[in-house]
Amino acid sequence: WEETWPALEQGQGTDTARYLAAGAARALLVSAPANDLDTTLNQFWPRFGRGTNFIFESNSIVHHVRADICLMIQATPQRALPLPERKPSFVAAVPFADALVAHANADSLIQEGLGLPGQEPKPIFNLVAFNHFSPEMLAWLRGRFKP
Protein backbone atom coordinates (compact mmCIF):
# COMPACT_ATOMS: atom_id res chain seq x y z
CA TRP A 1 0.00 0.00 0.00
CA GLU A 2 1.38 3.42 -0.93
CA GLU A 3 0.74 6.57 1.07
CA THR A 4 -0.21 9.60 -0.98
CA TRP A 5 -0.17 13.32 -0.31
CA PRO A 6 -3.95 13.75 -0.15
CA ALA A 7 -4.00 11.44 2.87
CA LEU A 8 -1.21 13.46 4.44
CA GLU A 9 -3.01 16.74 3.76
CA GLN A 10 -6.12 15.34 5.42
CA GLY A 11 -4.09 15.03 8.60
CA GLN A 12 -3.82 11.28 8.82
CA GLY A 13 -1.03 10.62 11.30
CA THR A 14 0.28 7.35 9.89
CA ASP A 15 3.96 6.45 9.92
CA THR A 16 3.99 6.44 6.13
CA ALA A 17 2.47 9.96 6.06
CA ARG A 18 5.19 11.13 8.45
CA TYR A 19 7.84 9.75 6.06
CA LEU A 20 6.38 11.82 3.24
CA ALA A 21 6.23 14.89 5.46
CA ALA A 22 9.92 14.37 6.29
CA GLY A 23 10.83 14.42 2.60
CA ALA A 24 10.60 10.83 1.38
CA ALA A 25 9.86 10.52 -2.34
CA ARG A 26 7.51 7.60 -1.66
CA ALA A 27 6.20 5.81 1.43
CA LEU A 28 5.00 2.23 1.25
CA LEU A 29 3.50 -0.12 3.80
CA VAL A 30 4.45 -3.73 3.15
CA SER A 31 3.07 -6.38 5.47
CA ALA A 32 3.90 -10.04 5.60
CA PRO A 33 3.43 -12.90 7.99
CA ALA A 34 6.57 -13.14 10.16
CA ASN A 35 7.42 -16.56 8.77
CA ASP A 36 7.01 -15.45 5.13
CA LEU A 37 8.91 -12.18 4.89
CA ASP A 38 11.41 -13.61 2.38
CA THR A 39 8.62 -14.38 -0.11
CA THR A 40 7.17 -10.90 0.26
CA LEU A 41 10.59 -9.24 -0.17
CA ASN A 42 11.30 -11.34 -3.27
CA GLN A 43 8.11 -9.93 -4.81
CA PHE A 44 9.01 -6.41 -3.65
CA TRP A 45 12.62 -6.06 -4.96
CA PRO A 46 11.93 -6.40 -8.72
CA ARG A 47 9.58 -3.42 -8.60
CA PHE A 48 12.36 -1.03 -7.56
CA GLY A 49 15.69 -2.42 -8.73
CA ARG A 50 19.06 -2.81 -7.10
CA GLY A 51 20.62 0.24 -5.55
CA THR A 52 17.33 1.84 -4.55
CA ASN A 53 17.47 3.39 -1.10
CA PHE A 54 14.92 2.27 1.48
CA ILE A 55 14.13 2.96 5.10
CA PHE A 56 12.61 -0.04 6.83
CA GLU A 57 10.65 0.38 10.02
CA SER A 58 10.96 -3.13 11.36
CA ASN A 59 12.94 -5.05 13.95
CA SER A 60 12.73 -8.34 12.08
CA ILE A 61 13.97 -6.95 8.73
CA VAL A 62 17.58 -7.26 9.97
CA HIS A 63 17.27 -11.03 9.59
CA HIS A 64 16.46 -10.65 5.87
CA VAL A 65 18.25 -7.52 4.60
CA ARG A 66 21.80 -6.30 5.19
CA ALA A 67 21.48 -2.52 5.60
CA ASP A 68 24.17 0.03 4.81
CA ILE A 69 23.27 1.70 8.12
CA CYS A 70 21.02 0.22 10.78
CA LEU A 71 19.69 2.75 13.29
CA MET A 72 17.31 1.61 15.97
CA ILE A 73 14.99 3.90 17.91
CA GLN A 74 15.27 3.34 21.62
CA ALA A 75 12.67 4.42 24.16
CA THR A 76 15.11 5.79 26.73
CA PRO A 77 18.08 8.16 26.30
CA GLN A 78 20.20 6.03 28.63
CA ARG A 79 22.42 2.99 28.36
CA ALA A 80 19.92 0.87 30.27
CA LEU A 81 18.31 -2.03 28.47
CA PRO A 82 15.52 -3.23 30.74
CA LEU A 83 15.06 -6.52 28.90
CA PRO A 84 11.72 -7.50 30.44
CA GLU A 85 10.28 -4.25 29.07
CA ARG A 86 11.67 -4.75 25.54
CA LYS A 87 10.04 -6.55 22.69
CA PRO A 88 11.92 -9.77 21.93
CA SER A 89 12.27 -8.57 18.32
CA PHE A 90 14.08 -5.42 19.54
CA VAL A 91 16.54 -7.40 21.66
CA ALA A 92 17.17 -9.80 18.74
CA ALA A 93 17.86 -6.86 16.39
CA VAL A 94 20.32 -4.98 18.65
CA PRO A 95 23.35 -7.00 17.44
CA PHE A 96 22.65 -5.81 13.87
CA ALA A 97 22.37 -2.12 14.81
CA ASP A 98 25.14 0.33 14.04
CA ALA A 99 23.76 2.85 16.54
CA LEU A 100 20.67 3.74 18.51
CA VAL A 101 18.71 6.97 18.56
CA ALA A 102 16.59 8.25 21.44
CA HIS A 103 14.48 11.32 22.14
CA ALA A 104 16.02 13.40 24.94
CA ASN A 105 15.99 16.85 26.53
CA ALA A 106 19.34 17.72 24.92
CA ASP A 107 21.40 16.49 21.99
CA SER A 108 24.21 14.26 23.20
CA LEU A 109 26.19 11.16 22.38
CA ILE A 110 26.74 8.17 24.61
CA GLN A 111 29.74 6.67 22.80
CA GLU A 112 29.85 3.49 24.88
CA GLY A 113 26.11 3.07 24.57
CA LEU A 114 24.04 -0.06 24.47
CA GLY A 115 25.38 -3.55 24.06
CA LEU A 116 24.20 -7.01 24.91
CA PRO A 117 26.50 -9.17 27.05
CA GLY A 118 29.59 -10.17 25.07
CA GLN A 119 28.99 -7.59 22.33
CA GLU A 120 30.57 -4.24 21.60
CA PRO A 121 28.33 -1.38 22.76
CA LYS A 122 26.52 0.66 20.12
CA PRO A 123 26.59 4.46 20.37
CA ILE A 124 23.36 6.16 21.40
CA PHE A 125 22.53 9.49 19.77
CA ASN A 126 20.17 11.47 21.98
CA LEU A 127 18.24 14.04 19.97
CA VAL A 128 15.95 16.85 21.06
CA ALA A 129 13.90 16.29 17.90
CA PHE A 130 13.94 13.57 15.27
CA ASN A 131 13.79 16.09 12.42
CA HIS A 132 17.47 17.02 12.67
CA PHE A 133 20.88 15.46 13.23
CA SER A 134 23.11 16.53 16.09
CA PRO A 135 26.65 17.54 15.05
CA GLU A 136 27.94 14.27 16.58
CA MET A 137 25.44 12.17 14.65
CA LEU A 138 26.11 14.00 11.40
CA ALA A 139 29.87 13.44 11.75
CA TRP A 140 29.28 9.77 12.56
CA LEU A 141 27.00 9.31 9.54
CA ARG A 142 29.44 11.07 7.21
CA GLY A 143 32.17 8.74 8.46
CA ARG A 144 30.01 5.74 7.61
CA PHE A 145 29.24 6.92 4.09
CA LYS A 146 32.78 7.77 2.99
CA PRO A 147 33.26 6.94 -0.72
Side-chain angles (χ1 to χ4, degrees):
W1 178 79
E2 184 167 0
E3 184 71 81
T4 59
W5 279 105
L8 178 62
E9 291 167 2
Q10 294 169 5
Q12 294 182 3
T14 64
D15 289 339
T16 51
R18 285 191 284 276
Y19 286 136
L20 287 177
R26 298 176 76 182
L28 307 163
L29 174 63
V30 178
S31 298
N35 61 349
D36 200 25
L37 188 54
D38 283 327
T39 300
T40 302
L41 286 171
N42 286 336
Q43 295 170 357
F44 180 78
W45 297 129
R47 295 180 181 196
F48 298 96
R50 292 195 176 274
T52 303
N53 294 314
F54 290 98
I55 296 174
F56 289 97
E57 181 188 3
S58 168
N59 290 333
S60 61
I61 197 72
V62 297
H63 303 291
H64 303 275
V65 173
R66 176 60 56 204
D68 292 330
I69 296 277
C70 180
L71 299 173
M72 293 184 66
I73 303 298
Q74 144 158 317
T76 175
Q78 301 153 352
R79 293 180 62 194
L81 181 64
L83 295 178
E85 299 171 21
R86 298 296 182 135
K87 290 169 43 175
S89 62
F90 178 90
V91 175
V94 167
F96 297 92
D98 294 301
L100 291 97
V101 180
H103 185 259
N105 292 329
D107 288 347
S108 65
L109 167 62
I110 302 173
Q111 187 65 45
E112 295 295 317
L114 181 66
L116 297 177
Q119 295 180 354
E120 187 175 323
K122 316 293 180 170
I124 301 172
F125 294 97
N126 293 320
L127 302 176
V128 171
F130 287 143
N131 64 351
H132 82 282
F133 296 121
S134 67
E136 296 89 357
M137 187 173 182
L138 186 57
W140 182 85
L141 286 167
R142 285 182 174 151
R144 293 290 182 145
F145 285 118
K146 285 183 179 177

